Amino acid sequence: MSLPDPNPVINRHTLAFGFFGLFSSIINNGMNRRPIISGLHRHIVAVAIGAALGYGMRRLEMRHWAERDWYIDDYINKHPQDFPEPNF
């Protein structure tokens, strides 16, 4: 049994940022009084840029939590007297 990929390409960050890019492009069309679907190539580019930013945010988040866990494990390993083994 293999573990799931901890950093999949499609995750909540890529979806959220991709939708943000799409909606920002739609709002831009509305503010410029164009039809909503006009400039379809800009919608696609906005979704791609948003998804790329979301993927990068996910990688930064995973790195942050991994670094935090490393510091906690390092502290526990250096100070075993503060963390006695539980007796069940």
Side-chain angles (χ1 to χ4, degrees):
M1 182 175 159
S2 65
L3 294 174
D5 184 13
N7 198 14
V9 174
I10 298 175
N11 55 48
R12 63 187 168 130
H13 291 40
T14 57
L15 292 176
F17 279 76
F19 282 125
F20 180 74
L22 176 66
F23 291 135
S24 66
S25 182
I26 289 172
I27 289 172
N28 184 23
N29 279 348
M31 289 174 50
N32 291 323
R33 297 188 182 270
R34 290 190 209 129
I36 291 175
I37 199 86
S38 70
L40 191 60
H41 61 287
R42 284 183 298 168
H43 294 317
I44 294 169
V45 169
V47 168
I49 290 172
L53 289 173
Y55 181 75
M57 289 295 293
R58 174 68 177 169
R59 289 192 57 181
L60 285 174
E61 180 188 30
M62 294 300 289
R63 181 177 177 186
H64 167 76
W65 292 118
E67 188 174 334
R68 184 198 68 143
D69 291 344
W70 181 84
Y71 280 119
I72 290 171
D73 290 342
D74 185 51
Y75 183 82
I76 290 172
N77 290 335
K78 287 183 179 178
H79 302 91
Q81 68 277 9
D82 294 338
F83 303 94
E85 291 293 325
N87 295 327
F88 292 107

